[in-house]
Amino acid sequence: MENSKRIKILDVPVDMVNNQQAMEIFKGLMERPGCDLIVTPNSEIIMNATRDPELKMLIEEAGLIIPDGIGLVYASKIIGQPLNERVTGVDFLNSILEYLEQNGKSVYLLGSKPANEERASVAELAGENMRIKHPRLKIAGTHDGYFKKQEEADLVKEINASGAEFLCTALGAPKQEKFIYEHRNELINIRAGIGVGGSLDVWAGTVKRAPKFYQEHGLEWLYRLIQEPSRYKRMAQLPLFMVKVLAKGKQ
């Protein structure tokens, strides 16, 4: 990987980059042929990758792996290879949108909830709000995340027909990353794709991002747990992650 060093946390690679360095690598991906995958791992994704060989493989082959979770920053210090800083997926996506707007490139938004009687789909709402903040941004198309496996071929054709050069998938990890990886050779115009998780909901206004205090102290996971107590099973992986990092660090 040019311009960055990759470290391994629980044998899963992560790029040692800050937001500016990540953007320089991203720009390089957008200028070369083929569809590269951008992964934004947190502690939960790292833990999943230790149990899912396919997920680990696609992370290893990704064009860019940004350290999204605060747990990765702590873990990197424990193993003696401290990351420069955390690069949150939400903030990185905003930097990407600025680049796309300034360079006349378009984005396709795929995922999250479909339209209902009260509102448009989350992807459509997110696109509208993105255009408010970035008036010259080209939204090539949108599609909700409720599609069947047998519909993916037609969906890929739709993305290709849109002419989009960048793809955001909000299908939940690792489905969103696996979608990009599986179809990377069929996405003829896409230069890079990123799994954005709940970021589309934040852009759409259907979910509130954690207040600044939580963001600045790496406590967004706690805010989400307070808002969605049902996430406690997923959050239980955080202490297990740190225990495994500590145990491996002592080997």
Side-chain angles (χ1 to χ4, degrees), residues 56-216:
K56 183 181 177 184
M57 177 192 68
L58 70 83
I59 293 175
E60 290 173 338
E61 294 186 17
L64 176 59
I65 312 163
I66 68 169
D68 186 6
I70 190 65
L72 274 62
V73 176
Y74 294 147
S76 70
K77 294 177 180 178
I78 291 171
I79 65 175
Q81 294 180 294
L83 291 162
N84 300 323
E85 64 183 51
R86 179 183 174 213
V87 183
T88 67
V90 175
D91 293 326
F92 186 57
L93 177 56
N94 190 53
S95 297
I96 287 174
L97 296 177
E98 288 179 2
Y99 165 84
L100 297 176
E101 179 186 27
Q102 292 167 4
N103 291 273
K105 298 183 183 295
S106 59
V107 59
Y108 192 100
L109 307 176
L110 169 65
S112 202
K113 295 178 181 178
N116 58 33
E117 294 179 355
E118 299 177 358
R119 57 159 176 77
S121 73
V122 167
E124 289 180 88
L125 292 173
E128 290 171 6
N129 288 332
M130 287 174 179
R131 274 191 292 255
I132 290 173
K133 185 168 184 179
H134 306 283
R136 293 179 289 110
L137 177 66
K138 298 176 182 178
I139 307 291
T142 65
H143 195 289
D144 65 67
Y146 288 68
F147 53 87
K148 297 176 182 178
K149 185 67 179 176
Q150 58 266 32
E151 297 173 319
E152 290 188 10
D154 288 337
L155 181 53
V156 168
K157 289 179 182 177
E158 183 178 317
I159 295 170
N160 285 338
S162 77
E165 296 137 295
F166 184 67
L167 174 63
C168 290
T169 57
L171 306 171
K175 183 179 179 180
Q176 56 195 17
E177 289 81 15
K178 289 185 176 182
F179 178 90
I180 297 168
Y181 185 82
E182 181 179 344
H183 297 290
R184 66 193 185 286
N185 294 324
E186 305 158 41
L187 294 164
I188 56 177
N189 301 310
I190 300 294
R191 291 292 167 261
I194 185 173
V196 296
S199 293
L200 281 194
D201 292 275
V202 173
W203 273 101
T206 55
V207 170
K208 288 185 178 181
R209 190 179 181 188
K212 284 289 184 184
F213 173 83
Y214 290 87
Q215 294 178 39
E216 292 169 354

Side-chain angles (χ1 to χ4, degrees), residues 6-15 41 43 45-53 55-61 65 72 75-76 79 81 241 244-245 248-249 251:
R6 275 192 177 171
I7 64 172
K8 286 196 173 184
I9 298 175
L10 297 183
D11 204 34
V12 179
V14 180
D15 285 325
S43 304
I45 290 176
I46 295 290
M47 286 294 290
N48 288 341
T50 65
R51 299 184 289 260
D52 182 343
L55 175 59
K56 183 181 177 184
M57 177 192 68
L58 70 83
I59 293 175
E60 290 173 338
E61 294 186 17
I65 312 163
L72 274 62
S76 70
I79 65 175
Q81 294 180 294
F241 168 77
K244 285 201 168 192
V245 170
K248 192 173 181 66
Q251 292 177 356

